[in-house]
Amino acid sequence: MTALFVDEYPAEARLVKAAFLSSFIAFGIGALFGIIQALHRTDIFRFIDSIKYYTVLTGHGVFLVIAFTIFFLVGLYQWAVTDSLERGPVDIRFTWFWYGLMAIGSFLAAISILAGFLEQPPMVLGAELRANVLFTFYAPLEANPLYYIGLALFLVGTWLAGIDWFRTWWAWRDENPGKRIPLRTFMVLTTMIMFFLGSIGVIVSILVFILPWSLEITESLNPLLTRTLFWFFGHMIVYFWLLPAYLLWYSVLPKLSGGRLFSDPLARVVFILFVLLSTPVGIHHQYMDPGIAEGFKFIAMTNTMFLLLPSFLTAFTVVASMEHGARQRGGEGRFNWLRALPWRNPAFTGMALAGLIFAFGGFTGIVNAGMNINYLVHNALWIPGHIHAQVGTATALTLMAGSYWLVPQLTGNRLVGRQVALVQVVLWFVGIVFMTNSMFRAGLVGVPRRTAEPQYQGFDYDVGVGSMGELNAQLALGGTLLFISAMLFLVLMLLTVFNNDSEPLVDGTLPPALSGPEDSPQVLDNLRLWFGIAFVLVVLAYALPLAGIVAQSGLFGQDIPPFPVSSEAVIYLEFGLEYVGAFVT
Amino acid sequence: MRIHQYEKLWIVGSMILIVGFIVTITYGSVGLGITMIGDEEETIAPDELNDDEQFGEPRVEQVGENEYAAYVVAQTFIFQPDPIEIPANNEITFYVTSRDVIHGFYVPGTNINAMAIPGQVAELTVEFDEPGEHGLICHEYCGSGHHTMEGLIVVQPEDEFDLTELSAETPDTVTSGEQVQLNATVENGQLEPLETTVNAEIGDQTFQQDLTVDGKSTQNVTFTAESTQLGVGEHDWTVTVDDYEETGSVEVVSNETAAAEGGEES
């Protein structure tokens, strides 16, 4: 057994642990909010006011898809860069600096969200401290400026993390001239190029438009413009959630299966395709938006379909690697090799089940991407079904499974409760099957997403097969199983961290791929080239729609004032009067 | 670059699948004519909605033979108009905008789905084959009362649908000896002329008049009753045109009472 990561790189291991700790705290709160929602919207158990539901919903989104995923990502990527380059960052103080920025940013965003539970929130920066705007924060709904400041700091911290890894790689390159970029570092660098490019949209949206407007420096904004800038970032970010899982599937899963990665060159091609295609597709979230021409929606649709390719390639490589591993372990036959896989290993089983859900969820994504079919499902519960299959399982379950393998190497402690861990990952799988089954079906009959009470006065849903009660029961059951699974995971992590006087049972070495980087052309490692092409594709996809939106209704819109979600009474009054006024005149 | 034989096959298969998806979606757009919400409509500032010709008074309007336009304003936490009444088997083009924040415009179980964005107007054309009622909901989070935001779309049988509006009025009081005048106004919002009969009752007197209202126009009818025949006291009146009915009452007062009241006022 080789030396553990914690013994070889103790300083870096500390940072990875800190990032994982932040990630898991966010995961715990987010999971708690998840079960509250599952019980509330199905009307099975409502113990909060429906107005507070939107505080819970905002927290669920921000804590899980921003904090949980991205803190885990930076931890995992710090491990991947350090381990694959066999060296630490150029200056670890810089590394702690970006982690600190991310931590402060997420803390500010978190308190501005959680203040929504107070009956009388304090005044901060000239406004009530609240942020009931969900993680998409569509203006003119307005949160406290602190929320936007927090998000901006978090994003800046993530940018600096990327720069840090590039610096580490540049230093390594000087020491190792002519060598190919190690695969895991390649994955980290390409992911970050994708992030740099795609996050420009949301950074401009926050810093140029929304933050000055919430601080009353500017008076108006263009809601379609800020929304489009959000989705410029918004589809890239789903791959930012997903690629840490890909990194684990490509590097760790083949080893856990008992073999090695099938093809290193194809893995590089997959990550390059994500760099190229994950941003110029964002308009597929806006198929129903007025003010964006049909032609641009068509371009987004075709780009999205081609974005299936890297996931199809991944499906092949991952399954082929698993089969190779199984055959190394004595598996035989056309399908019988599946039985030779290490199903008792929670790290393996978690990742394999996550991959299975990802394949299914991917097909639901094709439905979403089909622009005219999207009319049936846009903003229906189908969409959260898709999200929970993808980021909620493909990513989350893979990260949990990866933790069972990685955390012992970071702490030097043996994993506590390996059998329980196996139950935990299977429980997650069962929970997500129930919950997403309900969400997909309910979405098809028109139950909307993002609402505290999807029960209406004027009509009943036309449920073809089954009943609304059965759909609700499945959703609540699934949500409960997921919550129990999440808590089990956190308990096991906690126990492992304190399991001091033990030796881990894991072997941290990762074998090289069957077909190594020498089988691929050097050009794959030309990151400048891929960045350049990606940049051109983004310009092609976005220059005209953005210009059109600005030409139609102006950079700062037509007198669109903020709409704080806080002072409800004032809003009712003001718009009630206007409504009456409209009838009188 | 070395790629395994099976992997090559897989890539080719994946590409065929991807192109196949694009072809089916394109067929839906071009072949079946499912158009997307686009940018054809002019923008409109939310604070100018009240003065706007279309959205100042959100409504359904006939714009051609078997073609109707519905102007809808979404705002926290209602839709205007509500209910939206439309005929079956006709092309209905919805124009949807928002007065405040981003809302949704969604008829569950159908593909009627649009975002209502302040400043923008979403245009979508649909046709309902069957009469019936459909819920209309906001499917984008728009604030604390989001879950209460719903409207109703009432699809009426084509032959029963009209855009007739009836209004009627009399003075509140009439001095005995003077005439009681009941003014009824019939508005025809459709393009075809409306041929109908106006029936009226004032107290125990009945009236009837045939009426033709041209497309997109208004006709007035006046019915006159003698107050002396009605007698002093409160008298109910009713006007009906097709299924529409307006009611009210008029009080006939004696000369003395009128003079006394007049005296007090002066």
Side-chain angles (χ1 to χ4, degrees), chain A residues 59-119:
Chain A
H60 183 69
V62 173
F63 294 146
L64 289 183
V65 301
I66 305 292
F68 162 58
T69 49
I70 299 180
F71 270 121
F72 196 97
L73 178 145
V74 295
L76 183 74
Y77 277 18
Q78 186 60 52
W79 162 80
V81 169
T82 308
D83 197 47
S84 67
L85 295 182
E86 296 176 349
R87 60 157 294 152
V90 177
D91 184 347
I92 194 128
R93 285 171 305 178
F94 183 72
T95 311
W96 281 103
F97 175 67
W98 59 249
Y99 169 74
L101 275 186
M102 289 175 72
I104 294 167
S106 49
F107 180 71
L108 293 182
I111 57 169
S112 64
I113 295 167
L114 296 175
F117 290 119
L118 301 174
E119 288 309 319

Side-chain angles (χ1 to χ4, degrees), chain A residues 54 132 140 266 288-289 291 294 297 312 372 375 378-379 446 450-451 457-458 519 558-559 568 579 583, chain B residues 1-2 7 10 25 29 35-38 43 47 80 100 106 111 113 115 139-141 144 146-147 150:
Chain A
Y54 299 109
N132 296 342
L266 255 289
M288 305 298 133
D289 283 16
E294 186 167 4
K297 293 174 177 172
F312 277 134
N372 31 34
Y375 271 93
H378 174 75
N379 271 3
R450 292 186 154 184
T451 178
Q457 312 281 333
D519 285 338
Q558 311 137 299
D559 253 345
E568 314 295 349
Y579 183 37
F583 267 71
Chain B
M1 187 161 144
R2 215 182 73 196
E7 197 150 25
W10 179 266
I25 300 300
S29 295
T35 51
M36 303 296 294
I37 291 164
T43 59
D47 57 3
Q80 295 176 268
D100 37 49
Y106 179 45
N111 61 356
N113 197 333
M115 301 306 298
H139 66 15
E140 184 56 78
Y141 168 65
S144 58
H146 165 56
H147 46 275
E150 66 171 309

Side-chain angles (χ1 to χ4, degrees), chain B residues 175 253-266:
Chain B
T175 310
V253 292
S254 65
N255 289 329
E256 295 84 44
T257 318
E261 278 181 4
E264 272 167 33
E265 274 167 28
S266 63

Side-chain angles (χ1 to χ4, degrees), chain A residues 118-451:
Chain A
L118 301 174
E119 288 309 319
Q120 293 220 303
M123 298 294 282
V124 176
L125 295 168
E128 271 187 7
L129 186 62
R130 279 195 193 181
N132 296 342
V133 293
L134 312 192
F135 91 95
T136 45
F137 53 91
Y138 295 139
L141 283 180
E142 191 195 38
N144 188 282
L146 205 62
Y147 177 71
Y148 305 118
I149 293 170
L151 291 182
L153 284 178
F154 186 85
L155 285 167
V156 171
T158 315
W159 263 72
L160 295 182
I163 291 170
D164 194 21
W165 298 322
F166 267 91
R167 282 176 72 195
T168 312
W169 169 57
W170 288 325
W172 175 88
R173 200 175 50 179
D174 292 342
E175 295 156 6
N176 299 275
K179 274 203 192 171
R180 296 299 293 262
I181 309 173
L183 183 59
R184 275 176 291 161
T185 300
F186 183 87
M187 291 171 166
V188 169
L189 298 180
T190 43
T191 308
M192 293 319 289
I193 290 175
M194 177 187 90
F195 179 78
F196 292 147
L197 194 60
S199 59
I200 293 170
V202 78
I203 288 173
V204 170
S205 173
I206 292 178
L207 293 185
V208 179
F209 299 108
I210 296 182
L211 183 59
W213 169 81
S214 74
L215 289 167
E216 295 177 23
I217 297 168
T218 51
E219 284 178 355
S220 170
L221 52 63
N222 183 337
L224 181 59
L225 180 61
T226 50
R227 183 176 157 89
T228 307
L229 288 172
F230 179 86
W231 285 115
F232 181 110
F233 153 87
H235 201 75
M236 176 284 294
I237 198 73
V238 306
Y239 289 103
F240 199 57
W241 302 330
L242 192 62
L243 291 186
Y246 269 50
L247 186 141
L248 289 169
W249 292 348
Y250 275 104
S251 60
V252 178
L253 183 59
K255 177 219 165 68
L256 294 175
S257 314
R260 43 175 68 186
L261 176 64
F262 195 71
S263 165
D264 170 301
L266 255 289
R268 287 176 203 248
V269 169
V270 163
F271 274 72
I272 288 169
L273 285 171
F274 282 122
V275 171
L276 299 184
L277 287 174
S278 62
T279 303
V281 297
I283 287 175
H284 73 216
H285 289 258
Q286 298 178 280
Y287 285 150
M288 305 298 133
D289 283 16
I292 299 175
E294 186 167 4
F296 301 137
K297 293 174 177 172
F298 189 86
I299 293 170
M301 184 274 291
T302 52
N303 286 350
T304 309
M305 292 298 178
F306 282 108
L307 197 45
L308 289 170
L309 187 62
S311 291
F312 277 134
L313 295 182
T314 302
F316 182 91
T317 310
V318 169
V319 176
S321 308
M322 278 165 55
E323 182 180 344
H324 173 74
R327 294 200 189 282
Q328 299 300 305
R329 291 165 60 94
E332 280 176 355
R334 183 160 286 177
F335 292 109
N336 254 343
W337 57 267
L338 283 165
R339 301 165 65 144
L341 288 167
W343 293 109
R344 294 195 168 276
N345 181 349
F348 169 82
T349 302
M351 286 190 205
L353 292 177
L356 195 63
I357 293 286
F358 180 64
F360 180 73
F363 279 97
T364 66
I366 297 168
V367 173
N368 305 346
M371 56 183 196
N372 31 34
I373 308 171
N374 185 273
Y375 271 93
L376 274 175
V377 295
H378 174 75
N379 271 3
L381 198 52
W382 170 282
I383 303 294
H386 171 72
I387 298 168
H388 284 88
Q390 306 302 76
V391 61
T393 302
T395 296
L397 185 54
T398 302
L399 302 191
M400 287 187 272
S403 301
Y404 289 136
W405 181 79
L406 194 53
V407 168
Q409 301 177 53
L410 298 172
T411 55
N413 301 344
R414 184 176 300 182
L415 176 68
V416 177
R418 208 175 131 97
Q419 296 297 319
V420 182
L422 191 59
V423 171
Q424 186 266 322
V425 295
V426 173
L427 207 55
W428 189 278
F429 176 79
V430 175
I432 208 72
V433 167
F434 275 117
M435 192 172 82
T436 56
N437 174 45
S438 165
M439 285 175 156
F440 288 130
R441 286 173 49 212
L444 288 178
V445 300
V447 179
R449 67 187 290 199
R450 292 186 154 184
T451 178

Side-chain angles (χ1 to χ4, degrees), chain A residues 50-51 54 57-58 132-134 136 138-141 222-224 227 262-263 265-266 269 287-294 296-298 301-303 305-309 311-317 363 366 369-380 443-459 461 514-515 519-521 524 549 552-553 558-561 563 565 568 571-572 575-576 578-579 581-583 585, chain B residues 1-15 17-19 21-30 32-51 55-58 75-82 96 99-104 106-124 133-152:
Chain A
S50 280
I51 294 178
Y54 299 109
L57 184 55
T58 307
N132 296 342
V133 293
L134 312 192
T136 45
Y138 295 139
L141 283 180
N222 183 337
L224 181 59
R227 183 176 157 89
F262 195 71
S263 165
L266 255 289
V269 169
Y287 285 150
M288 305 298 133
D289 283 16
I292 299 175
E294 186 167 4
F296 301 137
K297 293 174 177 172
F298 189 86
M301 184 274 291
T302 52
N303 286 350
M305 292 298 178
F306 282 108
L307 197 45
L308 289 170
L309 187 62
S311 291
F312 277 134
L313 295 182
T314 302
F316 182 91
T317 310
F363 279 97
I366 297 168
M371 56 183 196
N372 31 34
I373 308 171
N374 185 273
Y375 271 93
L376 274 175
V377 295
H378 174 75
N379 271 3
L444 288 178
V445 300
V447 179
R449 67 187 290 199
R450 292 186 154 184
T451 178
E453 301 176 18
Q455 297 85 19
Y456 292 90
Q457 312 281 333
F459 71 99
Y461 300 104
L514 277 172
S515 168
D519 285 338
S520 67
L524 289 184
I549 291 166
Q552 266 197 332
S553 39
Q558 311 137 299
D559 253 345
I560 311 274
F563 202 89
V565 189
E568 314 295 349
I571 293 158
Y572 275 116
F575 284 83
E578 203 163 312
Y579 183 37
F583 267 71
T585 49
Chain B
M1 187 161 144
R2 215 182 73 196
I3 301 177
H4 194 278
Q5 190 65 30
Y6 288 152
E7 197 150 25
K8 279 183 190 152
L9 278 174
W10 179 266
I11 294 173
V12 171
S14 301
M15 288 305 285
L17 198 58
I18 288 170
V19 172
F21 286 137
I22 295 174
V23 168
T24 50
I25 300 300
T26 310
Y27 170 73
S29 295
V30 180
L32 303 178
I34 306 170
T35 51
M36 303 296 294
I37 291 164
D39 64 344
E40 289 78 15
E41 287 302 304
E42 295 278 309
T43 59
I44 178 166
D47 57 3
E48 285 167 12
L49 283 181
N50 285 350
D51 304 323
F55 293 105
E57 191 193 330
Q75 64 186 64
T76 47
F77 299 102
I78 54 167
F79 292 100
Q80 295 176 268
D82 183 30
V96 187
R99 196 186 294 282
D100 37 49
V101 297
I102 295 179
H103 295 281
Y106 179 45
V107 180
T110 73
N111 61 356
I112 301 175
N113 197 333
M115 301 306 298
I117 299 177
Q120 307 288 332
V121 178
E123 181 200 335
L124 68 162
E133 287 189 356
H134 298 269
L136 165 68
I137 63 173
C138 170
H139 66 15
E140 184 56 78
Y141 168 65
C142 58
S144 58
H146 165 56
H147 46 275
T148 63
M149 185 164 169
E150 66 171 309
L152 198 64

Side-chain angles (χ1 to χ4, degrees), chain A residues 481-494:
Chain A
L481 294 179
L482 289 168
F483 177 72
I484 294 169
S485 174
M487 292 304 123
L488 274 181
F489 168 74
L490 291 177
V491 167
L492 291 182
M493 283 294 114
L494 196 68

